[in-house]
Amino acid sequence: MKRLFAFAVILGVLCMVLIFPWNAVEVQANDSMKMNERKYFTSYVVEKGDTLWDIAERFMTPEYESIYCYILEVMESNHLESTNIKQGQLLVLPYYADAPSWIL
């Protein structure tokens, strides 16, 4: 009985040793596939009828948790105290990408 238990323990340890390196390789591969790791900014001139929500739907990248989080960052970046914007107003908009949009 002790031999069987010892054999099962050794077999279990061997399996863990053989499986662990494969899991580590998979994690490294997934990490290397990350995209859009850098934050950039672009400028935008507000057009008639634009709202921050309209602009967020066009410029927000998936890295943001929600449209609300994106709008808050736009407001902070532009020192806005409310969501009111005006036609002709220049806004700085954040986005994540592998390279700036003018290169793409």
Side-chain angles (χ1 to χ4, degrees), residues 35-101:
M35 298 181 69
N36 304 332
E37 293 191 7
R38 293 193 174 149
K39 184 188 289 188
Y40 295 96
F41 294 87
T42 190
S43 58
Y44 178 77
V45 177
V46 177
E47 297 175 0
K48 186 176 182 176
D50 275 345
T51 66
L52 285 180
W53 283 265
D54 298 330
I55 293 168
E57 286 177 353
R58 284 188 276 175
F59 290 92
M60 186 178 92
T61 53
E63 290 76 14
Y64 290 92
E65 288 181 32
S66 68
I67 196 165
Y68 179 73
C69 291
Y70 183 78
I71 289 171
L72 283 178
E73 186 167 341
V74 169
M75 290 176 68
E76 282 181 25
S77 299
N78 293 280
H79 308 288
L80 300 175
E81 295 180 8
S82 73
T83 57
N84 296 329
I85 53 176
K86 298 175 184 171
Q87 181 180 355
Q89 185 175 358
L90 180 67
L91 295 177
V92 174
L93 304 176
Y95 66 97
Y96 286 87
D98 292 331
S101 61

Side-chain angles (χ1 to χ4, degrees), residues 14-39:
L14 275 173
C15 287
M16 289 177 61
V17 168
L18 293 173
I19 291 172
F20 178 73
W22 291 106
N23 287 340
V25 169
E26 182 179 335
V27 169
Q28 290 173 352
N30 288 341
D31 286 346
S32 69
M33 293 171 58
K34 286 184 181 175
M35 298 181 69
N36 304 332
E37 293 191 7
R38 293 193 174 149
K39 184 188 289 188

